[in-house]
Each structure stands twice: as structure tokens, then as C-alpha cells.
Amino acid sequence: EREGYLLGLRNIVQKGWLVPRIEQLMREPRANDPDWRNELNSMVEELDALERPFAAYDRIRFGSANSRERLITTARRSYL
């Protein structure tokens, strides 16, 4: 039980580190720059491994796109 709790905390911290960095990369896209694309891809893959699927209702509940839609799906569709 304790290990699950600690893993959950680690995932929260890691997501808190990844989200602003992915947002920054997407605010200043350099799609033709392989280093930029590699960095974005690496962070998106890491976030994808942490992020659980959202329910369709979450979009309605939160009133906007969830972090998976904003940071994983959009990044892959637009840049990767």
C-alpha cells in the first residue's frame, strides 16, 4: 500500500514537471528543428506513460480539453 502511495506521488511530481515544459515547447514550436522535436517527443512519451485515460465526461466536467488532449494528442497530431 505504501509503495502504491509513493508511486502515485512520484507520478504527480513528474507530471507537474513535464506539463509546463511541454506547454512551453508547444508555445514556441520549431517543427523543423530535430532537437526540438526529439525533446518534445521524449516528454510527450513520458507523460503518455504516466497519464491514465480520461472519460468522455471529463471534457464536460472540466469545461475544456484535458491534459491528454492538449499535450499528448495535439502534440502528436501537430508536430510528431
Side-chain angles (χ1 to χ4, degrees), residues 10-68:
R10 179 193 142 319
N11 289 349
I12 290 168
V13 170
Q14 189 64 12
K15 182 177 177 179
W17 185 87
L18 288 165
V19 166
R21 283 156 184 80
I22 294 171
E23 289 173 335
Q24 179 64 34
L25 287 169
M26 291 176 65
R27 272 195 298 271
E28 300 173 5
R30 297 189 319 260
N32 294 326
D33 179 348
D35 291 333
W36 179 87
R37 288 175 60 118
N38 287 337
E39 183 177 7
L40 179 63
N41 186 58
S42 175
M43 290 185 185
V44 166
E45 290 300 316
E46 190 172 346
L47 182 59
D48 188 27
L50 292 173
E51 191 93 344
R52 295 181 183 266
F54 284 83
Y57 179 73
D58 287 337
R59 183 180 250 283
I60 296 166
R61 185 175 78 169
F62 296 124
S64 64
N66 60 53
S67 57
R68 175 168 286 285

